[in-house]
Structures are given as structure tokens and as C-alpha cells.
Amino acid sequence: MSAHAGATRTPRAPGLPEPGVGSRTRPVAWWGFLSLVVVLSACTPTGDSRQHTTPPPDNAAPSTGASGGGPPCTPSVDALAAPPTGYRLVGKDVAVPDARVLSAQDSGEADPAARLFAKWGLVVRAGTVVDLRVAPGWQDKARLGWGGTGTPAATVTVHACAPEGGQAQWMAFVGGTWVAQAACVPLIVTSNGQDDPVDLGIGVPCDKTTTP
């Protein structure tokens, strides 16, 4: 028997999932994205990226974990040197998919505002805390959630605690966007006191005919 028999290898942290259909690029990095989708499919029900927990007050999804100060750390799935190919910056501290359309499927949620779900990875600069919320007028049409522990909410806070060693500059989180129907969803990202808007095509591309 080989001296290596029975040995186990610690798997490398998976990359982000492919950010939906319609992406303009297909780099080798997509293999990492696809690997994460397979892992998620094995661990969670279809269209569900978090455990069911008691809804937090004021319709806000909490993070979990521990940190030296501020809000708890949000559970991440990868540490990155930079946002991956196929992502765009929103402000200075957040990156979102650059795809024209993020594919959406039935979520199985009872909440009418969360009927469809588009799974995608959020990338946040390490060591920062960001708030993401649906734009005014969309509280009954869309929900958000990342980190695998919260209930879909109109407003979420993501605390990207820096990893040990401080080598990685960005942290990746699994989650996505829920919507009442396919639409171009306007979000607001807040970091360091600055608000930055971003539109995401959930099930349909963003144009003047797809926003309810």
C-alpha cells in the first residue's frame, strides 16, 4: 500500500459562481465559478442560498461570526487579490457581476417579493462594512441576501472581515437577489458614508421597458 494512501488534501476555497447568463466574457476563471455552483447545489436546496432563520427586526438580514469591533463578520467563501474578470466596481469597496442578465428561477419562497431568485457572488473589499438596499419604491418588489445566514431582506449589511495574514484584498460572499418578477432592479450601495447606485438585470436586461 502506498505511503500516501488514505491521506486527504484540503480543498482550495472555491471561486465565485458564474454571474448569470449574458456575460460578455468567458475566461478560464469561469471554471472556478462553475465549481462553486456545484458545491452550492449539493449543500442547499435549489434557489435557496441560506439557512432558514427567524427574520431579523426591521426586515434587515444580520451577519454572523466574530470580529474585533463593529458588526459580526459575514461568512465568506473566498479571499481574492482583486475582483474577478466579469465583475465591475460600484464605488470603491464593492464589485458586482457585469453580465447584462442574471438568470432567475423560482425560489419557493412564500414572500411575494421573493418569488424568483438570481444567485450571484458579491465581492467586498477586505476590512470594510457595506450596506446594500433596494431603491425607494422597491421594498415590496425585491429582496437581497449574502453570507448564508439571513432571511431575504430589503436591506442587508455585509462585514468583510480581513483574513488572517492580511494578504487578500477582497472577500467573496454567496447569495443573490430575489424579485417578485423579472426586472431591472435598482440597488444602493453605501460604504464610508457614500451612496452608489447600481442596476442589475434580474431575468431581463436593464432597459426602459423592463423596469416595472
Side-chain angles (χ1 to χ4, degrees), residues 167-188:
Q167 298 298 318
Q169 299 299 312
W170 296 82
M171 307 302 292
F173 304 88
V174 172
T177 304
W178 290 258
V179 290
Q181 64 183 42
C184 176
V185 180
L187 306 181
I188 299 174

Side-chain angles (χ1 to χ4, degrees), residues 42-117:
C43 297
T44 61
T46 301
D48 190 1
S49 69
R50 80 276 180 266
Q51 301 171 356
H52 289 275
T53 59
T54 302
D58 301 325
N59 201 30
S63 303
T64 61
S67 63
C73 301
T74 303
S76 61
V77 295
D78 207 353
L80 310 170
T85 302
Y87 272 65
R88 54 179 162 141
L89 283 175
V90 180
K92 296 180 179 179
D93 299 324
V94 173
V96 301
D98 197 26
R100 291 184 66 245
V101 180
L102 299 171
S103 60
Q105 300 178 345
D106 289 340
S107 68
E109 294 285 344
D111 184 353
R115 187 176 64 85
L116 301 177
F117 176 63

Side-chain angles (χ1 to χ4, degrees), residues 5-32:
T8 60
R9 297 175 57 190
T10 302
R12 182 181 180 275
L16 287 174
E18 181 175 355
V21 298
S23 179
R24 293 187 291 273
T25 59
R26 297 290 180 186
V28 175
W30 287 148
W31 289 110

Side-chain angles (χ1 to χ4, degrees), residues 117-157:
F117 176 63
K119 181 184 293 183
W120 55 276
L122 179 72
V123 178
V124 179
R125 190 181 298 276
T128 63
V129 178
V130 299
D131 293 319
L132 300 97
R133 65 186 185 276
V134 298
W138 282 79
Q139 288 83 353
D140 61 346
K141 301 175 185 176
R143 298 284 184 263
L144 309 170
W146 289 275
T149 60
T151 299
T155 300
V156 297
T157 296

Side-chain angles (χ1 to χ4, degrees), residues 138 141 181-186 199 204-212:
W138 282 79
K141 301 175 185 176
Q181 64 183 42
C184 176
V185 180
D199 293 335
V204 292
C206 284
D207 60 45
K208 294 181 180 180
T209 65
T210 56
T211 302

